[in-house]
Short mmCIF file of all heavy atoms in Angstrom, two decimals:
data_model
loop_
_atom_site.label_atom_id
_atom_site.label_comp_id
_atom_site.label_asym_id
_atom_site.label_seq_id
_atom_site.Cartn_x
_atom_site.Cartn_y
_atom_site.Cartn_z
N LEU A 4 55.44 -43.13 -60.97
CA LEU A 4 54.09 -43.36 -60.48
C LEU A 4 53.09 -42.86 -61.51
O LEU A 4 53.20 -41.74 -61.98
CB LEU A 4 53.84 -42.63 -59.16
CG LEU A 4 54.71 -42.98 -57.95
CD1 LEU A 4 54.14 -42.31 -56.70
CD2 LEU A 4 54.84 -44.46 -57.75
N ASP A 5 52.14 -43.69 -61.84
CA ASP A 5 51.14 -43.33 -62.84
C ASP A 5 49.90 -42.79 -62.13
O ASP A 5 49.23 -43.52 -61.41
CB ASP A 5 50.79 -44.56 -63.68
CG ASP A 5 49.78 -44.24 -64.77
OD1 ASP A 5 49.42 -43.06 -64.94
OD2 ASP A 5 49.35 -45.18 -65.45
N VAL A 6 49.62 -41.53 -62.35
CA VAL A 6 48.46 -40.91 -61.69
C VAL A 6 47.43 -40.45 -62.72
O VAL A 6 46.53 -39.68 -62.42
CB VAL A 6 48.88 -39.70 -60.82
CG1 VAL A 6 49.71 -40.17 -59.64
CG2 VAL A 6 49.62 -38.68 -61.63
N SER A 7 47.58 -40.95 -63.95
CA SER A 7 46.67 -40.51 -65.01
C SER A 7 45.23 -40.94 -64.76
O SER A 7 44.30 -40.32 -65.25
CB SER A 7 47.17 -41.04 -66.37
OG SER A 7 47.26 -42.45 -66.33
N ASP A 8 45.07 -42.03 -63.99
CA ASP A 8 43.71 -42.49 -63.68
C ASP A 8 43.55 -42.63 -62.17
O ASP A 8 43.10 -43.64 -61.67
CB ASP A 8 43.46 -43.82 -64.40
CG ASP A 8 42.00 -44.25 -64.30
OD1 ASP A 8 41.13 -43.37 -64.21
OD2 ASP A 8 41.74 -45.47 -64.27
N GLY A 9 44.02 -41.61 -61.44
CA GLY A 9 43.99 -41.67 -59.99
C GLY A 9 45.23 -42.35 -59.44
O GLY A 9 46.12 -42.73 -60.20
N PHE A 10 45.27 -42.53 -58.14
CA PHE A 10 46.42 -43.18 -57.52
C PHE A 10 45.93 -44.21 -56.51
O PHE A 10 45.16 -43.90 -55.61
CB PHE A 10 47.30 -42.15 -56.81
CG PHE A 10 48.45 -42.80 -56.09
CD1 PHE A 10 49.55 -43.26 -56.79
CD2 PHE A 10 48.42 -42.95 -54.71
CE1 PHE A 10 50.60 -43.89 -56.14
CE2 PHE A 10 49.48 -43.57 -54.05
CZ PHE A 10 50.56 -44.03 -54.76
N TYR A 15 51.59 -50.02 -55.98
CA TYR A 15 53.02 -49.79 -55.75
C TYR A 15 53.47 -50.29 -54.39
O TYR A 15 54.54 -49.94 -53.92
CB TYR A 15 53.32 -48.29 -55.87
CG TYR A 15 52.95 -47.74 -57.22
CD1 TYR A 15 51.73 -47.09 -57.42
CD2 TYR A 15 53.81 -47.89 -58.31
CE1 TYR A 15 51.38 -46.60 -58.67
CE2 TYR A 15 53.46 -47.42 -59.56
CZ TYR A 15 52.25 -46.77 -59.73
OH TYR A 15 51.90 -46.29 -60.96
N PRO A 40 55.80 -38.38 -60.27
CA PRO A 40 54.98 -38.13 -61.45
C PRO A 40 55.03 -36.67 -61.92
O PRO A 40 54.69 -36.38 -63.06
CB PRO A 40 53.56 -38.50 -60.98
CG PRO A 40 53.60 -38.49 -59.51
CD PRO A 40 55.01 -38.75 -59.09
N VAL A 69 50.99 -33.26 -56.53
CA VAL A 69 50.25 -33.89 -57.62
C VAL A 69 48.81 -34.05 -57.15
O VAL A 69 48.55 -34.43 -56.01
CB VAL A 69 50.85 -35.28 -57.95
CG1 VAL A 69 50.01 -35.99 -58.99
CG2 VAL A 69 52.29 -35.14 -58.44
N ARG A 70 47.90 -33.74 -58.02
CA ARG A 70 46.49 -33.83 -57.66
C ARG A 70 45.79 -34.86 -58.55
O ARG A 70 45.98 -34.86 -59.76
CB ARG A 70 45.83 -32.46 -57.87
CG ARG A 70 44.38 -32.39 -57.46
CD ARG A 70 43.86 -30.98 -57.70
NE ARG A 70 43.85 -30.62 -59.13
CZ ARG A 70 42.86 -30.93 -59.95
NH1 ARG A 70 41.82 -31.60 -59.51
NH2 ARG A 70 42.91 -30.56 -61.21
N THR A 71 45.03 -35.75 -57.93
CA THR A 71 44.13 -36.60 -58.69
C THR A 71 42.71 -36.15 -58.33
O THR A 71 42.54 -35.23 -57.54
CB THR A 71 44.32 -38.09 -58.33
OG1 THR A 71 43.86 -38.32 -57.00
CG2 THR A 71 45.77 -38.51 -58.45
N ASP A 72 41.73 -36.80 -58.88
CA ASP A 72 40.35 -36.39 -58.59
C ASP A 72 40.02 -36.52 -57.11
O ASP A 72 39.26 -35.74 -56.56
CB ASP A 72 39.37 -37.24 -59.40
CG ASP A 72 39.41 -36.88 -60.87
OD1 ASP A 72 39.96 -35.82 -61.20
OD2 ASP A 72 38.88 -37.64 -61.69
#
Side-chain angles (χ1 to χ4, degrees):
L4 299 190
D5 182 5
V6 293
S7 57
D8 189 29
F10 176 76
Y15 301 97
V69 175
R70 183 179 66 84
T71 69
D72 288 345

